[in-house]
Amino acid sequence: MWNQVQQALDESTIRVIKQVANLLPGIAALIVALATSALLAWIFSFVLRQSLRRLHFDERVSLWGLGSLADWSPSNTPTIVVTRAVSWVIMLLGLLIGISAFDATLTSQFAQRLFSYLPNVFAALILLFGGTIAA
């Protein structure tokens, strides 16, 4: 009987070790995706912040009547609000790319649904800000 118990424990240990070994590449891909997206977010944020400052974005936003954009975060200018939003979007995309590297059906379906929903968000933002700028 103890031989059967030992064999069952050995088999379950081997299964767990195999599952962890199959999970490690996904974890490594998640870490690489997050690190890459953090670097890209920092680069895009820096370039975008410099470009918006050169274009006097804060003054233009107040001329367009969108001064309330800075009210979302009173201690920040519209330039900083926009650059942080862009940075977080890039980080979110990196997270989704990293999660989809696990190749599990649940995470793949989640990532696919989220990616398919993003165009709706962008279209809504264009309609929101396009209508405000035109008015």
Side-chain angles (χ1 to χ4, degrees), residues 82-94:
V82 169
T83 55
R84 285 186 183 169
V86 169
S87 296
W88 279 109
V89 166
I90 293 171
M91 287 297 296
L92 177 66
L93 290 175

Side-chain angles (χ1 to χ4, degrees), residues 14-133:
I14 290 171
R15 272 189 304 229
V16 168
I17 290 172
K18 284 182 180 180
Q19 289 176 349
V20 168
N22 288 336
L23 189 63
L24 287 177
I27 292 172
L30 175 65
I31 292 170
V32 168
L34 284 175
T36 303
S37 65
L39 179 66
L40 287 174
W42 182 80
I43 290 170
F44 275 99
S45 175
F46 178 76
V47 170
L48 183 62
R49 185 178 299 123
Q50 296 301 321
S51 299
L52 290 176
R53 284 185 180 158
R54 286 187 185 133
L55 293 172
H56 303 288
F57 181 71
D58 295 337
E59 292 85 11
R60 290 177 190 247
V61 166
S62 63
L63 288 175
W64 292 338
L66 294 175
S68 63
L69 180 66
D71 292 340
W72 293 347
S73 180
S75 63
N76 297 322
T77 63
T79 298
I80 293 174
V81 172
V82 169
T83 55
R84 285 186 183 169
V86 169
S87 296
W88 279 109
V89 166
I90 293 171
M91 287 297 296
L92 177 66
L93 290 175
L95 177 67
L96 292 175
I97 290 169
I99 288 174
S100 67
F102 282 107
D103 199 31
T105 56
L106 181 62
T107 57
S108 294
Q109 288 174 354
F110 172 71
Q112 287 174 353
R113 287 184 182 171
L114 196 57
F115 279 131
S116 67
Y117 187 72
L118 285 177
N120 297 336
V121 172
F122 290 130
L125 289 173
I126 289 171
L127 289 174
L128 174 70
F129 290 118
T132 306
I133 293 172

